[in-house]
Amino acid sequence: TIPRVFRISAAMDTTILAVVLALLAVVVGWFFMSNKSDEKGKPPAEEKKPEPAPKKEQAKPKAAESKATGKKGAKKETGHPQCLCMFKGHTDNLTCLRFSTTGKFAGTTSEDRKTIVWDLSKVPPTQAYNLSLELDHGIAVAFSPDDKYLAVAYARSKEVKIYPMKNAKDGAVSQFKSGHKGTLIGMQWANNGRFVVTCSDDSKDNVHVFSSKGQSLGVISPGALETYSSTISPDSRFISVASMQCDAKLWEVGDKDGEYKVVGKAMELTGRSGGGGAKGHSAAVHCVSFGGPSPGVLSGPSNSAATVSKDGTCKVWNIDVRYKFQEDPKCSATLPSPDGNPLHLCALSREASPAWLAAFSRTAGLLFFSLADNTLKSQIPISDCGSVFQMEWCPSPLAGHAAVLGTASTDGKSRLWVPEPL
């Protein structure tokens, strides 16, 4: 048995523990109730409502713009004041833009395997038809002088196929291999309709000349490490080649020994006997352009040419010389790039005496020089014209403008420009 004294002590311990627990419960309850009453006495905190997003001010369309769209409230795509329009129909990178000899049509090719023929009777142009190419894409497009046929140079197969304009979707009426080993970089159909020129990045024999039926008329080897482009003069007398060399060579095409073929090298644009002590370029020539009217609009000789170079200058040449007696072309003007950086493309307007020279630089943008006084009249930044890789003037007036330049750029858009602000 447990002694009585220990039983009393245990009872007392139990009583004390109960009292302590009761006091602790009272203290906790009082503390909880006091905090709750304090919270009730304070005003509730105001929840911060999210600020509404600022409303964008919507500019009201001008009456002229609404009228131009033809639809009430329709949005008009704005651009540079010298841009007549942009015509878009491709879904991938453009590879070529070319006007027909008559100026009635334009053709574009793209890596989306489509070749589009544009009707230029209205601005913006409308699609005359869309030709889908199977298992390949076009690298260049060209028209026959009478606008009855369309030639397409294929990128992978390196073939040239000729389609009838009216029934192009029925298939090509003729085709031939270009014979190039390297990558095709261009193709052009002479305005007299007698030959087609293809150009590649081959190490030699870069330029091949064919009849419209695919018969070889000759091969041109400029003898340079790199070839940039080849061009046919509007009167179909010369083929130019722009290369890594600082002079541009011109080859003559015509009748020799009873055959129509590449006759041989006619002249070099070096400026050795240029008027006023003018000299040629000091670095690679990136592009050559010929002056003269298009035979589809007005017959006339090509008596002028232009070149642009890595040296940052553009030169205009008089090629109406006795080249068969070794007389050199004369440099009539040297036009500097506004920022001194290399120029990459050039194009002389299509008149008997060209009035405009367009040039493109990857830093300065699109440039328009007046050849009346050899001054820069306008400059369009890259942000507006895009990175242009091909350009040429329309052979005939367009939308009431005597001179209209077409450009193709890497943003997938073709644009039409006038040389001065509207």
Side-chain angles (χ1 to χ4, degrees), residues 295-380:
V297 180
L298 176 68
S299 296
S302 299
N303 291 331
S304 59
T307 53
V308 289
S309 168
K310 186 179 179 181
D311 64 12
T313 63
C314 179
K315 293 182 181 290
V316 182
W317 305 84
N318 175 12
I319 62 173
D320 185 19
V321 297
R322 296 174 298 175
Y323 58 89
K324 292 184 179 179
F325 295 94
Q326 286 73 51
E327 182 179 355
D328 289 329
K330 297 174 176 61
C331 180
S332 58
T334 299
L335 309 172
S337 172
D339 61 3
N341 289 325
L343 293 166
H344 301 91
L345 299 172
C346 64
L348 284 169
S349 56
R350 287 285 175 258
E351 298 102 1
S353 296
W356 294 96
L357 171 65
F360 175 76
S361 165
R362 292 170 188 162
T363 56
L366 187 59
L367 313 170
F368 289 98
F369 294 93
S370 169
L371 297 183
D373 54 7
N374 296 329
T375 57
L376 179 64
K377 293 299 184 182
S378 60
Q379 180 177 356
I380 300 170

Side-chain angles (χ1 to χ4, degrees), residues 17 27 36 40 50 68 139 186 188-189 198 215 241 251 334 361:
L17 180 60
V27 171
K36 190 172 182 180
K40 288 182 179 181
I139 198 68
Q188 197 173 358
W189 200 335
T198 59
Q215 298 172 334
V241 179
W251 278 263
T334 299
S361 165

Side-chain angles (χ1 to χ4, degrees), residues 174-195:
S174 65
Q175 63 187 68
F176 56 88
K177 292 279 188 180
S178 67
H180 292 288
K181 296 179 180 179
T183 301
L184 277 179
I185 57 178
M187 182 270 297
Q188 197 173 358
W189 200 335
N191 286 335
N192 65 2
R194 299 188 68 178
F195 64 96

